[in-house]
Amino acid sequence: MGPLKSGFKRHFDALTLDNGQEKEAEELPDELRVAEDSDESEAESDAPDGDSSSGSDTELSFEDEEDEEESEEDSEVESEPKGEEVSEKNDDKVQNSSEVSEKAGKEEVDEYQEDTSDEEDIRNTVGNIPMHWYDEYKHIGYDWDAKKLVKPAKGDQLDDFLKRMEDPDFWKTVKDPQTGQNVVLSDEDIDLIKRIAQQKVPDAQFDEFQPWIDWFTSEVEKMPIRNIPAHKRSFLPSKSEKKKISKYVHALKMGWMKTKEELEKEAAQKRSGPKFYMLWESDTTKESMRRIHDHVSAPKRPLPGHAESYNPPPEYLFDKKEMREWKRLEKEPHKRKLHFVPQKYRTLREVPAYPRYTHERFLRCLDLYLCPRAHRMKLTIEPEYLIPKLPSPRDLQPFPTQETLIYSGHSDIVRTISVEPRGEFLVTGSDDTSIKIWEISTARCIKTIQTKDIVRSVAWCPNSKLSIIAVASGQRLLLINPETGDKLIVAKTDELLADSPESDLLDPERLKAAVQWSEPDGFEHKTGFRIVINHFKQVKQVTWHGRGDYLASVMPDGAHRSVIIHQLSKRRSQFPFSKTKGLVECVLFHPIKPQLFVATQKSIRVYDLAKQELMKKLQSNSNWISDMAIHPKGDNLIVSTFDKKLLWFDLDLSTKPYQTMRLHREAVRGVAFHRKYPLFASGSDDVSVIVSHGMVYNDLLQNPLIVPLKKLETHEKVNDFGVFSVIWHPSQPWVFSTGGDKTIRLYT
């Protein structure tokens, strides 16, 4: 180590001379100072007598330098004479060091003279290691002589505070992690750190925005350098790669090769420890059939019951009657409840071998082999999802909820009912050959009129300026003035019906044979009869046009003359159809358009009276139509049938029912719409009147809302007859019903 130390010393002195520094020497670290002292002591002991003076001078110069530095640290202000003395001492030090270096150079040549690695101020020789390894020791590393570098003394927080207050360079003092010494940064170092923190170029002299030199042209060449067409093999897939991939796919399918996820799962299972299996796992899980698509597992055999026990309870053993039944079904064994006769044994060892075991196992194998099994998609739909979500009936009020009045006075079945347009009176027709006029508010019978035959239909004229009731009784259609209400309207009606208009047109013989207009005699005229229209068959129904001038009568037995339209002002009748298809049950005028609805047993035909043509035919999908009613807007029709159904037709949508409602348990005989409220009602032979909400929207894209609201059951059943007819009050949400119990009931 001697030559290395002397070489380092000479190199240090040469640097001092070359730079021409005349200022005082920098403070040396402790380890270099120790090395220097040891070097001088060796040189003093080894040098000859002639050189002792120079060595002592050199040593003194270093000591003086150290003393000078200590004196500088003690005093903050230095005087000018001291500065001159320091410079003289430095000059002496330089001369002495040069003499020493010349003598050492004459003795031996330094092989590291041109080496620049020693220029770095590496005082700690531990290398690039984590410095926290020395946290528990008093030293921080080792110097060139393998001596410990003692950690500098650490001050407490009070010392740091005093340095922060007194030392002006405290803000730019950093700690060297290699030596633990405090290093004061220069202005150049601080400027460099600031530029790096601001993400600038560290070199301040570097120009970021120097002019760009366009080394290459910016013009795109039209012709490429190489215009060789692509080879055919670049378009064709590689056969060797295809074989490799197919091998990998086959290995993955067969389980020979596994993906990373599968390998990770296996490793996780191994780490988790042993796996426990259920003893009867095949009973609860599907069989693992590899490479069989849509495998259907075999059906399980039923578990044995008490009868199959070797020691069954006594009630499971056959008695004489059951044994006779067993023997009787010998030729039809599939009808037997059990395929064996239960037997009782005291112990299990007494049970003999089952003789049919082999045969039954063979049949079981045949079942599994020959029985075709297929997947059937089963929809798991909860019952509550099948029922549409309907609004609450409380939100759809008002509607009738209870019975208010009972109109009693007829002595037989009340078949038909009609309400005055103003809503003050109602008229009913019965099998006791009479019609009665009632006051609605008091349920008082005002007038009773005998008609000599069963009354099957009554209809009050919808024109509020006339007081006329059309009554279908037997083969006669009677126009009666009830003489109730406003006397001026009653007198005006009599004047209108008294004068028969003169007509030059002659009725054809076919019409004369079917219909004759006549005036009643004296007694009937006093009763209220004004016009009698005689038909050739029994009249079942009569209905008015909305304006009150036309009315239609239906004779189901009249064949092609079963429908006749009468005009009151001209006292003329006409056949609208030359032929009718089917047995006509009822007819209905459209409330707005010139259309006529004709219901036969199974269908409804819609005719245009102006163009005299068939518009559409509605299919009811039922066996027998009983009644029908049209919505006041004319776009929806509701039909009742004798096979317990209500059919809602949307005339703009389809010729098939929009909705079929099965609300009643027996035949539905009557149905009616309310003029103002979105309500309709139906009456049935199950003595119930069902009130429903039927809202029709102006928006054609929105379907009608149909909600059953209330079931009213107050009628009594007589001879299997319940409710015959229902009708609404013209202005109030009240419904009237007639029944086989000879009463009329009002629900409000």
Side-chain angles (χ1 to χ4, degrees):
M1 293 297 290
L4 184 62
K5 291 185 287 182
S6 60
F8 175 76
K9 181 174 177 296
R10 287 194 302 272
H11 185 64
F12 182 79
D13 295 339
L15 284 174
T16 307
L17 289 172
D18 291 340
N19 293 335
Q21 295 175 350
E22 296 181 357
K23 62 181 181 179
E24 60 178 353
E26 296 290 336
E27 181 183 357
L28 289 174
D30 296 338
E31 57 269 28
L32 289 182
R33 187 182 297 126
V34 172
E36 192 69 30
D37 294 341
S38 62
D39 192 12
E40 290 299 326
S41 63
E42 289 178 2
E44 186 177 355
S45 62
D46 296 338
D49 298 337
D51 296 336
S52 61
S53 61
S54 65
S56 62
D57 294 340
T58 306
E59 185 178 356
L60 285 172
S61 67
F62 273 100
E63 289 174 357
D64 294 341
E65 185 181 355
E66 291 174 3
D67 296 339
E68 187 66 29
E69 289 175 358
E70 290 176 0
S71 63
E72 285 178 3
E73 291 176 359
D74 294 338
S75 60
E76 295 181 359
V77 182
E78 294 289 339
S79 59
E80 293 180 359
K82 286 184 180 181
E84 293 174 0
E85 292 175 3
V86 171
S87 63
E88 289 175 0
K89 289 181 181 181
N90 286 338
D91 293 340
D92 294 339
K93 181 189 73 169
V94 171
Q95 292 174 3
N96 294 332
S97 63
S98 63
E99 291 175 1
V100 173
S101 62
E102 287 175 1
K103 290 178 181 180
K106 290 176 182 179
E107 292 175 0
E108 58 183 32
V109 179
D110 187 10
E111 57 181 335
Y112 297 103
Q113 189 171 0
E114 300 300 329
D115 190 8
T116 61
S117 62
D118 291 336
E119 294 178 6
E120 299 178 5
D121 188 12
I122 302 175
R123 305 177 191 178
N124 196 348
T125 60
V126 293
N128 187 16
I129 64 170
M131 297 309 295
H132 62 82
W133 290 356
Y134 288 94
D135 288 348
E136 299 178 358
Y137 301 97
K138 294 181 180 180
H139 62 285
I140 201 169
Y142 300 90
D143 60 2
W144 290 85
D145 294 332
K147 292 183 180 180
K148 295 181 180 179
L149 296 178
V150 182
K151 293 180 182 178
K154 291 185 178 178
D156 54 5
Q157 294 183 357
L158 186 59
D159 294 336
D160 292 341
F161 176 73
L162 291 175
K163 285 182 182 179
R164 187 181 290 109
M165 294 293 105
E166 297 174 358
D167 189 2
D169 295 334
F170 178 80
W171 65 276
K172 56 181 179 179
T173 303
V174 296
K175 188 175 181 180
D176 187 1
Q178 289 284 339
T179 62
Q181 299 288 337
N182 291 331
V183 179
V184 179
L185 299 176
S186 63
D187 293 340
E188 292 79 6
D189 295 338
I190 293 172
D191 185 45
L192 180 65
I193 292 170
K194 284 183 178 179
R195 293 185 65 85
I196 292 173
Q198 294 173 0
Q199 297 183 354
K200 294 182 180 179
V201 180
D203 187 6
Q205 304 298 326
F206 180 76
D207 186 12
E208 294 183 70
F209 307 103
Q210 57 186 348
W212 171 259
I213 300 172
D214 195 2
W215 297 102
F216 304 97
T217 178
S218 60
E219 297 179 1
V220 181
E221 295 291 337
K222 295 183 179 179
M223 295 298 293
I225 298 173
R226 296 176 73 251
N227 198 19
I228 302 172
H231 201 272
K232 184 179 179 181
R233 63 172 171 266
S234 63
F235 297 98
L236 295 176
S238 173
K239 292 185 178 179
S240 60
E241 291 180 0
K242 183 179 179 182
K243 288 182 180 179
K244 285 184 181 180
I245 292 171
S246 63
K247 285 182 180 179
Y248 292 155
V249 171
H250 183 63
L252 286 171
K253 283 184 178 179
M254 299 303 294
W256 304 333
M257 191 169 71
K258 296 182 179 179
T259 60
K260 288 183 179 180
E261 294 180 357
E262 292 175 347
L263 293 174
E264 289 176 359
K265 285 183 180 178
E266 289 183 358
Q269 289 176 359
K270 288 180 181 178
R271 289 194 299 270
S272 63
K275 184 178 179 181
F276 300 98
Y277 295 91
M278 184 178 176
L279 188 61
W280 308 109
E281 189 175 6
S282 60
D283 293 341
T284 57
T285 60
K286 292 184 178 180
E287 298 177 9
S288 56
M289 301 293 292
R290 181 178 291 176
R291 301 186 67 186
I292 295 180
H293 298 287
D294 295 333
H295 171 70
V296 181
S297 58
K300 299 286 188 297
R301 291 293 300 271
L303 296 175
H306 293 294
E308 293 172 290
S309 172
Y310 74 92
N311 189 12
E315 60 266 18
Y316 286 94
L317 297 175
F318 283 180
D319 55 11
K320 293 181 180 180
K321 182 179 179 182
E322 290 175 335
M323 202 66 196
R324 284 197 304 268
E325 184 70 17
W326 167 271
K327 292 178 180 178
R328 188 180 66 83
L329 297 174
E330 188 173 0
K331 294 183 179 180
E332 298 175 323
H334 61 278
K335 293 185 178 180
R336 290 170 172 170
K337 291 183 179 180
L338 296 173
H339 62 280
F340 64 94
V341 179
Q343 294 180 354
K344 191 177 182 70
Y345 300 95
R346 289 183 300 172
T347 60
L348 189 60
R349 68 175 63 186
E350 295 180 8
V351 179
Y354 185 48
R356 293 176 54 84
Y357 176 76
T358 307
H359 180 67
E360 287 187 358
R361 297 309 293 176
F362 175 70
L363 292 178
R364 167 74 172 169
C365 293
L366 283 183
D367 289 342
L368 298 180
Y369 167 60
L370 296 174
C371 179
R373 298 189 293 273
H375 273 299
R376 286 186 179 179
M377 298 302 293
K378 184 179 179 182
L379 297 176
T380 56
I381 302 174
E382 298 295 333
E384 56 266 17
Y385 292 119
L386 296 175
I387 302 173
K389 292 184 178 179
L390 299 176
S392 173
R394 293 182 179 179
D395 301 334
L396 305 178
Q397 291 179 344
F399 58 87
T401 56
Q402 60 184 0
E403 182 185 80
T404 304
L405 292 175
I406 299 176
Y407 304 82
S408 57
H410 284 287
S411 59
D412 207 340
I413 296 172
V414 184
R415 289 185 178 270
T416 178
I417 185 172
S418 182
V419 182
E420 186 206 7
R422 294 183 180 180
E424 296 179 3
F425 305 99
L426 64 90
V427 59
T428 56
S430 171
D431 281 6
D432 59 3
T433 70
S434 68
I435 64 168
K436 289 181 179 292
I437 300 168
W438 310 81
E439 189 178 12
I440 292 177
S441 58
T442 60
R444 180 171 60 91
C445 180
I446 298 175
K447 196 171 187 179
T448 301
I449 302 173
Q450 295 293 331
T451 60
K452 301 180 182 179
D453 208 334
I454 294 175
V455 178
R456 299 188 180 275
S457 178
V458 295
W460 211 300
C461 181
N463 190 352
S464 59
K465 296 179 180 179
L466 296 176
S467 178
I468 302 174
I469 299 174
V471 180
S473 174
Q475 295 184 0
R476 297 194 302 170
L477 176 59
L478 309 173
L479 298 181
I480 298 174
N481 186 351
E483 298 179 353
T484 58
D486 193 350
K487 294 182 178 180
L488 293 176
I489 295 176
V490 171
K492 183 179 179 181
T493 303
D494 286 340
E495 291 178 5
L496 181 65
L497 298 179
D499 301 332
S500 59
E502 297 179 358
S503 176
D504 298 336
L505 297 176
L506 297 175
D507 293 333
E509 294 296 331
R510 178 168 168 265
L511 184 61
K512 285 183 178 180
V515 180
Q516 294 91 26
W517 289 68
S518 63
E519 293 185 0
D521 53 14
F523 175 75
E524 288 183 344
H525 191 276
K526 289 181 181 179
T527 309
F529 290 21
R530 296 296 179 261
I531 296 175
V532 177
I533 307 173
N534 295 301
H535 294 68
F536 72 105
K537 293 289 184 182
Q538 191 176 27
V539 182
K540 181 184 178 182
Q541 187 218 0
V542 59
T543 181
W544 286 91
H545 187 266
R547 294 182 179 177
D549 189 25
Y550 291 91
L551 70 157
S553 59
V554 177
M555 296 174 290
D557 300 333
H560 56 277
R561 296 181 291 179
S562 56
V563 180
I564 303 176
I565 296 177
H566 312 278
Q567 188 175 4
L568 187 61
S569 58
K570 296 182 179 180
R571 296 195 183 185
R572 293 185 66 252
S573 302
Q574 58 181 341
F575 296 121
F577 313 114
S578 58
K579 293 181 180 179
T580 56
K581 297 180 181 180
L583 186 67
V584 178
E585 291 293 325
C586 56
V587 297
L588 192 66
F589 285 101
H590 194 281
I592 303 169
K593 301 176 184 177
Q595 295 175 4
L596 182 67
F597 295 83
V598 180
T600 57
Q601 282 188 350
K602 295 185 178 182
S603 63
I604 301 104
R605 288 177 170 84
V606 184
Y607 294 94
D608 191 333
L609 296 176
K611 297 180 181 179
Q612 297 182 0
E613 64 181 8
L614 176 66
M615 292 181 61
K616 62 179 70 175
K617 181 181 177 182
L618 307 178
Q619 300 292 337
S620 67
N621 300 327
S622 61
N623 295 325
W624 201 306
I625 294 173
S626 61
D627 195 8
M628 62 180 174
I630 191 165
H631 193 269
K633 293 183 179 179
D635 294 333
N636 293 269
L637 183 74
I638 192 165
V639 178
S640 62
T641 63
F642 285 113
D643 45 2
K644 313 173 189 177
K645 292 188 293 186
L646 280 174
L647 310 175
W648 181 293
F649 287 92
D650 191 338
L651 301 179
D652 296 331
L653 182 65
S654 173
T655 58
K656 294 181 179 179
Y658 160 69
Q659 192 162 351
T660 301
M661 293 165 280
R662 292 176 175 85
L663 305 177
H664 294 278
R665 299 187 303 272
E666 294 186 23
V668 186
R669 291 186 175 271
V671 66
F673 267 113
H674 199 286
R675 290 185 187 177
K676 296 182 178 180
Y677 292 95
L679 297 171
F680 68 92
S682 58
S684 169
D685 280 344
D686 59 359
V687 301
S688 67
V689 176
I690 294 181
V691 179
S692 303
H693 177 86
M695 173 62 79
V696 177
Y697 300 94
N698 293 326
D699 186 4
L700 296 178
L701 298 177
Q702 194 167 2
N703 294 327
L705 177 63
I706 302 171
V707 184
L709 296 175
K710 187 71 176 177
K711 188 174 184 179
L712 306 168
E713 291 181 293
T714 56
H715 282 278
E716 296 177 2
K717 201 164 189 176
V718 178
N719 298 330
D720 295 333
F721 291 126
V723 178
F724 273 89
S725 178
V726 292
I727 194 168
W728 288 91
H729 192 277
S731 58
Q732 298 293 334
W734 301 344
V735 65
F736 301 89
S737 65
T738 64
D741 55 356
K742 312 171 189 177
T743 62
I744 304 99
R745 297 174 188 260
L746 168 63
Y747 302 97
T748 60

